[in-house]
Amino acid sequence: MLAVKLYSKKNMSTQIKVISFDVEGTLVTTDFSYAIWFEMIPQRYAKRHGLELDEAMLKVKQAYESVGDQRLEWYDVKYWFTRFDLGRANIAMEELQNRVRYYPETAKTLENLGRQYRLSVASGSPRHFLKHLLRDIKHNFSSVFSSVSDFNNVKTADFYLQICQQLEVRPEQIVHVGDNLQFDFTEPASIGINAFHLDREGKTNNPIALRNLTQMIDLLRRY
Ligand SMILES: [Mg+2]
């Protein structure tokens, strides 16, 4: 109920033009990413450098942590394939296409909201990643923005402002939903976007977080 109160705005339904979605952890599970970062890359690293898998995993994880998620390289599979000398990332990623999984309510949510709003993607993943993650659902979106590939940035307030400009809408005419408290909630909310934090497993103590996308549809209907 708190969520309803906080998100409540007069005439919201007539103002909202665009629903913007994060991708990983929001529309698509982390299965594909997990397979890239914690299976394929360590396996190839072990083979390339003649190490046991455990050892390779440790080295790879240390390297990931040394970069961290505030730097663009963190998100860039091609960077890691080059850094570790693992061959061509594109071909390796294609092999893992069957590991892409959508959340149970994803298709229905897009179909439902697509009837009333323009749907857009605002992702921190590079386009070479989105190509795989969005393959079966991309027809739902009128635009796809990748902060890394399009703006050379993580998802900052400025990234969201640029999206507003390109979509020719005001921040208050957008609803954005995503699972990262900083990149999907704090940053977009700071410029006036109606941001919804999605916490599927209830890991954060955010009292206004949504547990799934269906809850967002319910909230939007009330306005
Ligand atoms: Mg995410």
Side-chain angles (χ1 to χ4, degrees):
M1 289 312 288
L2 185 56
V4 176
K5 214 172 165 187
L6 282 177
Y7 291 127
S8 179
K9 283 185 178 174
K10 275 184 188 167
N11 303 321
M12 185 173 176
S13 63
T14 54
Q15 288 180 4
I16 301 300
K17 304 267 189 233
V18 176
I19 312 290
S20 162
F21 294 86
D22 169 53
V23 176
E24 252 194 279
T26 301
L27 298 169
V28 184
T29 72
T30 53
D31 290 45
F32 179 76
S33 277
Y34 185 89
I36 301 265
W37 302 118
F38 300 109
E39 291 176 16
M40 178 170 276
I41 288 179
Q43 283 161 9
R44 287 183 175 228
Y45 188 94
K47 207 171 161 191
R48 177 72 187 82
H49 301 280
L51 298 173
E52 292 296 324
L53 186 57
D54 284 2
E55 253 179 305
M57 184 72 89
L58 198 65
K59 293 255 186 210
V60 164
K61 279 185 177 171
Q62 280 170 349
Y64 293 159
E65 278 159 27
S66 75
V67 168
D69 71 355
Q70 302 292 316
R71 278 174 55 191
L72 301 181
E73 296 92 329
W74 167 274
Y75 305 89
D76 187 349
V77 182
K78 288 180 179 170
Y79 164 82
W80 292 103
F81 265 65
T82 304
R83 174 167 165 167
F84 296 147
D85 192 19
L86 303 180
R88 291 179 58 188
N90 284 351
I91 296 169
M93 290 172 87
E94 197 61 50
E95 285 171 24
L96 292 177
Q97 181 65 39
N98 64 359
R99 300 288 295 272
V100 174
R101 296 270 181 279
Y102 299 102
Y103 288 104
E105 81 280 20
T106 293
K108 276 222 158 95
T109 300
L110 297 175
E111 192 192 316
N112 187 316
L113 294 176
R115 285 188 216 118
Q116 200 177 344
Y117 307 98
R118 266 193 284 160
L119 307 187
S120 179
V121 163
S123 172
S125 303
R127 285 197 179 269
H128 62 260
F129 226 103
L130 293 175
K131 182 177 97 176
H132 298 281
L133 296 177
L134 297 176
R135 190 166 287 177
D136 293 342
I137 56 171
K138 62 174 184 281
H139 58 278
N140 292 286
F141 302 103
S142 58
S143 47
V144 174
F145 299 97
S146 157
S147 64
V148 178
S149 301
D150 303 340
F151 303 101
N152 221 23
N153 210 339
V154 291
K155 297 200 288 188
T156 58
D158 193 52
F159 166 66
Y160 287 102
L161 270 177
Q162 303 212 43
I163 286 180
C164 292
Q165 279 171 13
Q166 294 209 14
L167 294 177
E168 298 181 329
V169 290
R170 298 190 306 275
E172 61 271 24
Q173 293 177 310
I174 299 189
V175 162
H176 175 79
V177 61
D179 69 312
N180 185 294
L181 191 58
Q182 178 192 346
F183 296 136
D184 295 307
F185 184 76
T186 312
E187 297 287 345
S190 75
I191 63 156
I193 285 177
N194 303 282
F196 290 75
H197 179 219
L198 179 65
D199 182 7
R200 290 181 175 278
E201 276 132 37
K203 282 182 182 163
T204 64
N205 287 325
N206 181 6
I208 58 166
L210 305 178
R211 296 300 287 269
N212 54 57
L213 295 171
T214 309
Q215 288 182 340
M216 185 175 69
I217 296 177
D218 293 341
L219 276 174
L220 288 169
R221 270 205 203 108
R222 298 183 199 201
Y223 301 112

